[in-house]
Amino acid sequence: MERIDTLVRTDLEHLIHPLHHPQDHRQPIVMVEGRGAMLTDADGREYIDGLSCLWNVNVGHGRAELAQAAAEQMSRLAFVSSYAGTTNIPAIRLAERLCGLSYPNISGVYLTTGGAESNESAFKMARYYWKVQGRPNKVKIISRVHAYHGLTLGAMSATGMAAFHKMFGPLAPDFLQIPAPYAYRWPSNGDVGVEAADALEKAILREGPDTIAAFIAEPVMGAGGVIPPPPAYFPRVREICDRHNVLLIADEVITGFGRTGRWFALGHWNVEPDLVSFAKGVTSAYLPLGGVLASKRVHDAVQEAPADKKFMHAATYSGHPTCCAVALRNLEILQHEGLIERAGPMGRSLLAGLETLRDLEPVGDVRGLGMMCGVELVSDRKTKTPALGLGGRVVQEARSRGLLARIRVGSADPPIGDTICIAPPLMTPEETLDRVVEILRAAIIAATR
Ligand SMILES: Cc1ncc(COP(=O)(O)O)c(C=O)c1O
């Protein structure tokens, strides 16, 4: 085999990575193998996969059944177009299965190959829905500060982190943002859930309800720093959306498929969305797949539209049979191995472990739901001044001790400290979760020294 240092040099010469800056990529880890919750690099070093790679390897690494599902489907029919007039068996079965296991009001699904494309599709479906209803001016999309929705122009415009906009502006028109229900830094002493939901109503009234197509929200904000909502938030958001005829899009790209201890997360608060974007965990990352689940009323708009208003939304790989076959097998694993039920109690025990880090000076907040947790770092606990730069050092120290994690890079405005995000595979053994907490403690101490 070619020497690893030669390969790395070639990488540096030719490969542009997501979030690329050469300085961040001088000594990349070359990963060569994955088993369960562990990854192994080319030098044989093992790491705990503390973020399920990118919050997506829900069933863990090395599942031969998924490789086999792909091989069987590829040998029979690797690909066929799903454009109207042709279909395939794995896509049909997957559509039925997804509608059955998501929210009771869901009746249809459009399949994509990733999260950004799913959100893009959801925005277009929302606009489509209102045009079919004879309300063509309802086009604006409201999202939240700290949100992450993906890299395409629309999804980037809904994303609420300035770093993702800086070199790519201007943003698409008709996207606007409101504050997130971020309890640790909410500016008043009132009920955060109520006040943050009311910010949505104020924005709708200010812009005019006749101009708003949809509100998009991650049930638990992920890449923005793992921000779970207070209990009052989503029920009130649902009421506000209903009152002003605004569709509610749940971006469940991270929270779907068991991450929070349920198939989909808004069930924690008994709320049903109109559209649900998903990706990542649907195949546990073994192949790229995503989609948008549509409630009966949105689905009906597509099904009952006159021919001159047909749903002209086309992606080559929508309904890709091999990706769908892998997804079906992955859903079986999640169900038969009880991984979704397990994520609730295991997540609580992980969060309880992380709570013990509060005795460390830079730990400002610890939060999470299910198997997604965040540890926010501050330079002063009283003033909650964001610690900026510390998170990068903690992640480096953790990596050298065998734990891979990612940070939400903090900012002074809006204030948020570097936040260490932890979201291991749903099957991670309890001893490994304990080890995550031990390593993080050692890494925070070493990085602060
Ligand atoms: C909540 C959320 N939505 C959308 C996306 C974009 O997904 P993708 O990178 O598959 O396009 C992500 C990716 O991390 C995400 O976390």
Side-chain angles (χ1 to χ4, degrees):
M1 197 169 73
E2 214 173 340
R3 283 172 55 95
I4 293 299
D5 50 359
T6 314
L7 284 168
V8 167
R9 213 171 316 119
T10 310
D11 175 308
L12 295 173
E13 277 169 16
H14 296 297
L15 195 52
I16 302 172
H17 291 262
L19 308 179
H20 194 99
H21 191 280
Q23 202 177 307
D24 303 329
H25 196 69
R26 275 191 300 236
Q27 290 175 309
I29 311 182
V30 182
M31 287 298 182
V32 293
E33 208 175 327
R35 287 274 168 270
M38 306 302 293
L39 288 164
T40 307
D41 73 12
D43 296 324
R45 266 192 299 266
E46 282 212 311
Y47 304 83
I48 301 170
D49 184 3
L51 200 74
S52 308
C53 284
L54 292 173
W55 327 75
N56 51 355
V57 189
N58 288 11
V59 299
H61 297 274
R63 301 296 306 234
E65 316 90 294
L66 295 179
Q68 203 180 337
E72 280 169 13
Q73 184 59 42
M74 278 189 184
S75 316
R76 195 172 314 117
L77 174 68
F79 178 72
V80 69
S81 157
S82 287
Y83 281 24
T86 316
T87 190
N88 70 78
I89 294 166
I92 298 169
R93 294 231 162 94
L94 182 63
E96 182 186 34
R97 183 91 178 86
L98 290 171
C99 292
L101 58 76
S102 57
Y103 300 93
N105 64 333
I106 297 298
S107 85
V109 61
Y110 175 83
L111 294 167
T112 70
T113 48
E117 191 193 337
S118 300
N119 284 329
E120 215 68 48
S121 301
F123 302 151
K124 286 175 68 180
M125 284 168 97
R127 288 181 172 184
Y128 176 90
Y129 172 79
W130 291 117
K131 288 187 201 306
V132 169
Q133 311 305 312
R135 304 185 69 177
N137 297 328
K138 283 175 78 66
V139 296
K140 292 182 187 168
I141 305 290
I142 303 180
S143 64
R144 305 177 301 172
V145 175
H146 303 303
Y148 185 74
H149 296 299
L151 57 61
T152 49
L153 202 53
M156 176 191 83
S157 302
T159 288
M161 288 186 271
F164 289 95
H165 305 156
K166 187 173 168 192
M167 299 306 291
F168 301 112
L171 302 187
D174 296 321
F175 284 82
L176 56 136
Q177 274 151 22
I178 59 168
Y182 181 12
Y184 179 59
R185 293 183 183 277
W186 193 249
S188 82
N189 292 325
D191 184 319
V192 185
V194 170
E195 292 185 11
D198 288 350
L200 172 63
E201 186 155 44
K202 282 194 193 110
I204 294 171
L205 292 172
R206 189 187 62 233
E207 299 289 321
D210 281 346
T211 69
I212 312 291
F215 173 59
I216 181 166
E218 298 155 83
V220 177
M221 302 183 92
V226 187
I227 305 176
Y233 183 71
F234 276 107
R236 200 170 176 95
V237 160
R238 181 70 268 183
E239 280 170 29
I240 291 167
C241 287
D242 288 343
R243 192 150 56 237
H244 300 293
N245 282 320
V246 168
L247 296 182
L248 173 58
I249 305 171
D251 180 346
E252 302 231 27
V253 167
I254 288 179
T255 55
F257 305 99
R259 179 56 59 194
T260 72
R262 290 171 174 265
W263 282 104
F264 288 92
L266 286 185
H268 285 288
W269 307 285
N270 291 318
V271 167
E272 290 180 1
D274 300 295
L275 291 160
V276 184
S277 308
F278 66 88
K280 297 191 189 275
V282 65
T283 54
S284 288
Y286 280 71
L287 280 177
L289 183 72
V292 188
L293 294 159
S295 59
K296 176 101 174 59
R297 73 162 159 158
V298 178
H299 190 205
D300 282 351
V302 178
Q303 297 288 69
E304 291 163 14
D308 65 339
K309 291 191 174 152
K310 77 174 181 183
F311 186 64
M312 290 294 287
H313 186 70
T316 298
Y317 294 124
S318 181
H320 194 298
T322 305
C323 301
C324 293
V326 169
L328 281 165
R329 189 73 190 89
N330 177 61
L331 300 184
E332 268 173 42
I333 295 175
L334 284 168
Q335 185 172 13
H336 292 157
E337 298 185 7
L339 294 179
I340 291 171
E341 293 76 17
R342 184 180 190 273
M346 282 297 120
R348 280 193 288 281
S349 120
L350 173 62
L351 188 63
L354 294 171
E355 287 281 355
T356 65
L357 303 177
R358 283 187 187 268
D359 62 343
L360 300 174
E361 208 45 49
V363 173
D365 194 26
V366 178
R367 50 189 183 245
L369 181 67
M371 290 283 260
M372 58 189 295
C373 300
V375 177
E376 182 169 340
L377 304 173
V378 291
S379 60
D380 181 327
R381 285 216 275 212
K382 275 212 186 72
T383 60
K384 300 185 180 176
T385 308
L388 303 178
L390 178 59
R393 297 201 296 280
V394 171
V395 165
Q396 279 306 324
E397 293 288 347
R399 180 191 281 202
S400 70
R401 290 166 172 79
L403 167 66
L404 296 177
R406 287 190 61 77
I407 51 163
R408 185 268 146 96
V409 176
S411 76
D413 183 24
I416 179 167
D418 288 349
T419 302
I420 303 157
C421 302
I422 300 289
L426 306 186
M427 44 57 63
T428 305
E430 214 167 343
E431 318 80 80
T432 310
L433 295 177
D434 294 343
R435 187 78 192 118
V436 167
V437 176
E438 279 166 29
I439 295 178
L440 264 188
R441 170 175 289 279
I444 294 171
I445 292 170
T448 322
R449 217 178 271 139

